[in-house]
Amino acid sequence: MKTPQPAPCRTYHVLDSGEPAYTERFDDILKFHPPGLAAVQKGDQAWHIRPDGSAAYSARFERTFGFYDGRATVVDIEGWYHIETSGEAVYSDRYTWCGNFQDGLCTVREGVEYFHIKRDGRPLYERRWRYAGDYRDKISVVQNEAGLSTHIDASGQLLHNVFFVDLDVFHKGFARARDEEGWTHIDSRGQAIYQRRFANVEPFYNGQARVERFDGGLEIIDEAGNCMLELRPSRRSEFAELSGDLVGFWRTQTLGSAATLGIIDVLPGTVSASSERCNITEDAAFRILRALGELQVVERCGDEWKATSRGEYLKKDHPLTLADAAVEYATRFSKMWQVLPDVLRGEDQWKPAIFEDVFLGPDKGTGHHRMLRSYARHDYEAVAEILPLKGDESIVDAGGGLGTFASCIQARFPDVQITVLEKPGVLEFTQLREPGLNWLAGDFFQDWGVEVDVVLLARVLHDWEDEDARRILSRAKKSLKEGGRVCVVEILLPEEGVSGGLCDLHLWMATGGRERKRTEYETLLTEAGFRVDEIIHVAALPSVIVGVVP
Ligand SMILES: C[S@@+](CC[C@H](N)C(=O)[O-])C[C@H]1O[C@@H](n2cnc3c(N)ncnc32)[C@H](O)[C@@H]1O
């Protein structure tokens, strides 16, 4: 006889014949699971029944779920835990939430922390995660504090050192993964199996997967990412999209002007109040607010305008303010970009002295460094989280700006001794510098006069062409003890593909530098005498390339 199935009303189970399997009626029932028990609920009591409707044990709970791997999750006044088929608790701990056992492992939550337990209820590992999913084929997805996901194996070890914006478990050898460029499929080494990225992907089904392109088109692809069949053509107008790209400067200039005028800082307010406080006409105030509305940084509520959550970042007093960046992009950088055709033709030996020039501006460089600080505050807490430090090292953060990265590291590893090496001009911004750090005024092209365990070069090498980058790395090596390590923190361009191309041009125009691929950083480090030890990829954030002094 087959196991009874839930009746559509979910108050009892039915036999193959359609007859009720028993006479009792419940408020809710779940399916029968091996070894032949189903969770039921009646009033404020929950338990498990056998196929004939009789109770499997005498205990009663507030809520019960199905049996998996011979264990079922139950809830009572003490919390969530697992029982055996006898109704006995498997272990004495109680959790905030429990999942179901798969492959002899189960995800649980204690407060806001997730981890996995073994069949006997003991934790599988020490580490706690922001989220941990079910195991499937001995691999699970876990998410760290920074919101990034990776895979762990059945012993709780990282399967690969790659973190993604979003991630799925493996289906037939491949997992769906989203990096900063979109969705793809990865293999067990954490590597994308093809170059293309999509707005969405489904798991592979017999060697083919259905995907949605960014233009809204639907395709069936093979495991090399090739289109086997188009299910729906592009849903957008290429003419309109390109026209939109041509006027990208409208956005840059509107946002830059808003930051210069400080019009978002005076919101919420009416047009008339904003015009008065920014010293512009009412017509001008209305027109810029309307344009900012189109850019979704402000919105109108009756007679008043207010900043949206995106617009809050343009306020000067926001801890992650982008007001300085808006001004820099609309003024200094826009001007620098104008020589791009000449530089591309090789007519101009473009070597901007940005790190000297910033001090010549009206604000003597504070805006430029506040801009760098906002990006650093945005990114570096997550990077500090995955930095491979023991926690007691002496460290120099060379070209460390206002000390944001150094202070994230110190918060994460309180016992490190960290020094920020910067140009003397930056050290003069005493009000802006992070407190509680050691500072060293100097030039990273000259002798640093220190010997430490670790050198950090965060978003420094991308400011320089290869020859200068090698000179900085050589100085780093000379400042390291034997066995010391350099951690290069940079966005990595894909080995193939076009993403990051615009940012690379920006570095060329703004600093004379370049974005690089993983292999290009490996070459630079090797040429400077380091052995590349480890590369930690973090989606949407800079990766960490670790070089060791051999
Ligand atoms: C792109 S910023 C990166 C700052 C910081 N590491 C971060 O990631 O936010 C480059 C930094 O290198 C510093 N810098 C440039 N040339 C330098 C030199 N010759 N010696 C020391 N620092 C320098 C600049 O002042 C600037 O703060």
Side-chain angles (χ1 to χ4, degrees), residues 170-185:
F170 285 91
H171 293 261
K172 306 197 166 70
F174 303 123
R176 297 163 61 249
R178 182 151 78 91
D179 62 15
E180 62 274 29
E181 294 165 47
W183 280 97
T184 181
H185 292 91

Side-chain angles (χ1 to χ4, degrees), residues 355 369 372 376 380 399-401 422-423 426 442-445 458-459 463:
F355 300 114
H369 281 276
L372 296 178
Y380 287 154
E422 256 297 345
K423 292 176 83 74
V426 176
D443 176 353
F444 49 45
F445 289 107
R459 286 190 175 123
D463 293 333

Side-chain angles (χ1 to χ4, degrees), residues 355-356 358-359 368-369 372-373 375-377 380 397-405 421-424 426 440 442-446 448 456-460 462-464 472 489 507 511:
F355 300 114
E356 276 77 48
V358 286
F359 298 112
H368 183 81
H369 281 276
L372 296 178
R373 183 180 65 181
Y375 292 122
R377 282 183 175 169
Y380 287 154
D397 183 10
L402 297 171
T404 310
F405 191 27
L421 166 66
E422 256 297 345
K423 292 176 83 74
V426 176
L440 180 61
D443 176 353
F444 49 45
F445 289 107
Q446 308 294 325
W448 302 2
L456 304 172
L457 287 168
R459 286 190 175 123
V460 164
H462 75 175
D463 293 333
W464 305 93
I472 298 169
V489 177
L507 283 162
T511 69

